Amino acid sequence: MKRFIALFFITVIAFSPTLTLAQKGGFADMKQLQGPQNPRLGFVIHGGAGVITRGSLSPEREKEYRVKLEEALFAGYKALQSGKSGLDAVEIAIRILEDSPLFNAGKGAVFTNEGKNELDASIMNGKTLAAGAVAGLRQVKNPITLARAVMEKSAHVMMVGGGAEKFAKEQKIELVDEKYFWTQPRWDSLQKILKEEKAKEVQSLKSKVQSVLTKDLPANRFGTVGAVALDKNGDLAAGTSTGGMTNKRYGRVGDAPIIGAGTYANNNTCAISATGWGEYFIRLGVARDISAVMEYRGMPIQQAADFVIKDKLQKLGGDGGIIAVDKFGNIAISFNSEGMYRAYINAEGKAVVEIYK
Ligand code: ASP
């Protein structure tokens, strides 16, 4: 009981000034959140990778991103501290980011070539290797919650499109009108690309798709969200949610809902969530590859992540990054893009929010 009271006060003391600061919109990069009483917890989130250079965001915009990342980080981490599972923490944090128009997931999803929003997500349980994934959703407000339902309430790993939405209805998971996902900045991004595409009059379909994806890459694609967690029981979990890439076509599905590409968790190694140019992450099986390098070559997590992202992905011509936590609570972040929205609780128990290289 004494221990409980002490823990309660530590938590209250650690959180009160932090949350007040965040609510005021003021923040510092480092905040004390975790005492030595639970050194094994691990929590990292990301809000996408891409060309995010210092000066490319206005101070106000930057603050909005930081405040929202902090909110998601604290919510997920608090869940872990209270004894909830890594899966709960991952879902809680991702839902907050999905509900924000700042990120390319849920509310802020990018537009397809046809001017629609098609959402993908996945989640994985490192203890059981159970996984759930959804793709091509048009009406599910929080795709991560549907991915979890696929994992926990169905016999399948992946469901797509109308079928997945039928399952969502059955599971009483919130559906919204397609209009809910419409946002001006994402619409403008699509219009800009379509205009450029028209001007270029690219000939063959193949080169057209290729040029669009290439062009899209630096400026218009970032904001996928993800989270990885190590909970009090030593169980790992990972989840990722995205609107994909602006101007994507023909039922294109990226890496985010592909188990082993954009998301992977295994209690023997680590939990990973990726963001970047999905086609490359699928080809390399990035998330599973990092886990395999740890398992078969005994590489520590940061080295394994850098090997796959800064060596293999780089050589293949892809870009993006990952967040990871291993079974000991060590955290790794690796990306070969200009920036990556990310936030984590470091080894000293402090909250860190970072955007640039
Ligand atoms: N990986 C996502 C996709 O290719 C996009 C991103 O992470 O920005 O769908």
Side-chain angles (χ1 to χ4, degrees), residues 72-114:
L73 182 76
F74 293 161
Y77 193 69
K78 250 170 137 176
L80 288 179
Q81 282 188 313
S82 74
K84 287 203 166 137
S85 70
L87 288 168
D88 288 334
V90 162
E91 185 186 354
I92 287 168
I94 289 181
R95 282 181 65 104
I96 290 172
L97 300 173
E98 283 177 339
D99 288 345
S100 163
L102 291 173
F103 301 94
N104 172 20
K107 175 71 186 158
V110 298
F111 283 93
T112 66
N113 176 261
E114 292 167 325

Side-chain angles (χ1 to χ4, degrees), residues 28-343:
D29 261 359
M30 312 271 276
K31 281 162 202 152
Q32 190 72 41
L33 275 184
Q34 178 183 316
Q37 74 276 11
N38 48 12
R40 270 176 56 87
L41 294 182
F43 197 54
V44 193
I45 62 171
H46 72 78
V51 179
I52 321 159
T53 49
R54 244 171 253 279
S56 64
L57 287 175
S58 69
E60 298 75 39
R61 226 14 168 30
E62 181 174 328
K63 197 154 105 181
E64 282 178 50
Y65 275 105
R66 287 180 178 272
V67 167
K68 193 46 81 175
L69 285 166
E70 262 189 9
E71 185 192 331
L73 182 76
F74 293 161
Y77 193 69
K78 250 170 137 176
L80 288 179
Q81 282 188 313
S82 74
K84 287 203 166 137
S85 70
L87 288 168
D88 288 334
V90 162
E91 185 186 354
I92 287 168
I94 289 181
R95 282 181 65 104
I96 290 172
L97 300 173
E98 283 177 339
D99 288 345
S100 163
L102 291 173
F103 301 94
N104 172 20
K107 175 71 186 158
V110 298
F111 283 93
T112 66
N113 176 261
E114 292 167 325
K116 303 272 183 198
N117 308 99
E118 293 181 353
L119 316 172
D120 306 335
S122 67
I123 193 162
M124 187 160 183
N125 180 339
K127 184 182 181 188
T128 60
L129 301 188
V134 286
L137 307 175
R138 289 192 172 171
Q139 294 181 58
V140 176
K141 182 165 176 273
N142 294 105
I144 194 68
T145 296
L146 183 58
R148 188 167 179 185
V150 170
M151 174 173 77
E152 292 176 346
K153 312 257 171 64
S154 87
H156 307 300
V157 168
M158 189 170 205
M159 291 188 192
V160 304
E165 289 182 333
K166 205 167 163 190
F167 179 66
K169 240 178 251 165
E170 267 172 39
Q171 292 297 320
K172 303 199 172 16
I173 285 173
E174 190 175 356
L175 298 178
V176 287
D177 190 277
E178 290 183 20
K179 283 192 216 102
Y180 166 81
F181 298 106
W182 197 96
T183 58
Q184 190 71 51
R186 301 299 190 198
W187 183 252
D188 293 347
S189 292
L190 174 66
Q191 300 315 312
K192 191 166 161 260
I193 291 183
L194 290 177
K195 223 169 138 188
E196 285 169 16
E197 192 180 84
K198 217 173 172 190
K200 259 196 145 185
E201 286 179 6
V202 185
Q203 292 307 317
S204 79
L205 179 64
K206 189 161 188 287
S207 63
K208 198 171 182 179
V209 171
Q210 182 62 36
S211 80
V212 167
L213 288 178
T214 310
K215 187 147 33 67
D216 180 48
L217 187 70
N220 295 310
R221 177 191 51 71
F222 46 77
T224 288
V225 307
V228 294
L230 175 69
D231 66 23
K232 274 188 175 162
N233 295 324
D235 292 327
L236 290 165
T240 311
S241 181
T242 189
M245 290 169 82
T246 307
N247 202 23
K248 66 182 179 182
R249 299 165 192 236
Y250 316 128
R252 182 263 189 192
V253 173
D255 60 314
I258 308 291
I259 297 300
T263 302
Y264 193 70
N266 184 336
N267 272 11
N268 289 330
T269 53
C270 62
I272 309 264
S273 170
T275 172
W277 195 345
E279 278 70 10
Y280 288 86
F281 282 71
I282 293 173
R283 288 181 204 148
L284 284 172
V286 163
R288 162 77 187 137
D289 200 31
I290 293 170
S291 167
V293 166
M294 291 177 72
E295 191 172 354
Y296 304 145
R297 290 174 69 170
M299 259 193 207
I301 190 161
Q302 185 67 54
Q303 211 182 319
D306 287 341
F307 172 58
V308 175
I309 297 298
K310 295 189 174 165
D311 191 351
K312 294 172 90 170
L313 179 70
Q314 180 78 25
K315 278 185 188 146
L316 201 63
D319 93 321
I322 62 95
I323 54 169
V325 58
D326 72 9
K327 59 180 175 180
F328 306 111
N330 297 310
I331 278 165
I333 295 173
S334 185
F335 55 98
N336 70 348
S337 49
E338 286 295 325
M340 180 165 162
Y341 296 105
R342 58 204 188 273

